[in-house]
Amino acid sequence: MSAELKERAARAALEVVESGMRLGIGTGSTAEPFIRALADKVLAGMRVIGVPTSQRSAKLCAELGIPLSTLEETPELDLTVDGADEIDPQLRLIKGGGGSLLREKIVAAASARMVVIADISKKVETLGAFPLPIEVDQFGLGATRRAVEKAASGLGLSGEIVLRQRSDKVFVTDGGHYILDASFGRIPDPEGLSCALHEIPGVVEHGLFIGLARQAFIASSDGVEAIVS
Ligand code: 5RP
């Protein structure tokens, strides 16, 4: 069912893609059906140039014949379509479950508009049930983790902060960084936490996306809800 809902959200987002657009292309199990549906359109004659947010999405796009560019060649994009781990009523997001948050945020910020695609399980009243991914430099990991704890504590937040591992190995992002997953629970002030995390030198980026998403297509068994911020 979840796969079907992701597919529906992905297809709804395709409706806002126009020929000639420069597109940011997201990462994850919801972005993938979007990439496949986009590839069908390209095959049928739609002209787009895609800037992928991860090596994984770049590989899929290339396999499916979607023309690709980079932010060096194409520094301004018309639209980014990407998934999310949580979406609140103001379209603030937690992203980074797939580990691509830094590139996803750079690409979204370079886009005139970001559209989020998700199934209904991602819609929340308050962000934070999903552990917040924080991308950090490998150097000084212990000190950075301590600084994150202190910054969170200053905002009344606490919880386990774990170094992300996959298949018994430390997970390394496309940019060569580590990820700390912070289980703070409810985050009542995402803007405050975002600022506090940005103050920490070892933090490269965090998964709170604030003021970036303009629209979300959220699929449930009742249909696809379009939310605009
Ligand atoms: C990757 C992301 C993904 O968009 C997010 O994790 C949602 O993934 P999925 O669509 O597989 O649930 O932020 O870094």
Side-chain angles (χ1 to χ4, degrees), residues 94 127-134 144-162 180-189 193-194 196-197 200 206 208:
I94 286 183
L127 299 177
F130 189 91
L132 178 66
I134 304 171
T144 302
R145 187 201 300 242
R146 186 75 199 101
V148 169
E149 277 167 4
K150 277 192 190 164
S153 159
L155 292 164
L157 299 171
S158 62
E160 202 183 12
I161 300 176
V162 297
L180 295 173
D181 288 305
S183 297
F184 294 139
R186 287 179 79 254
I187 302 173
D189 178 14
L193 181 59
S194 170
L197 291 174
I200 301 169
H206 58 71
L208 289 167

Side-chain angles (χ1 to χ4, degrees), residues 28-70:
S29 60
T30 319
E32 280 176 19
F34 173 77
I35 294 172
R36 291 183 191 284
L38 180 67
D40 290 343
K41 290 274 186 187
V42 168
L43 211 61
M46 181 184 260
R47 288 178 309 104
V48 293
I49 291 179
V51 173
T53 53
S54 62
Q55 291 173 7
R56 175 175 149 193
S57 290
K59 184 167 175 282
L60 182 61
C61 288
E63 281 167 9
L64 297 173
I66 298 172
L68 295 182
S69 184
T70 62

Side-chain angles (χ1 to χ4, degrees), residues 6 27-31 82-85 95-101 104 122:
K6 287 174 185 187
T27 298
S29 60
T30 319
D82 202 349
D85 300 299
K95 283 185 54 55
S100 304
L101 65 113
E104 289 171 334
K122 307 294 182 67

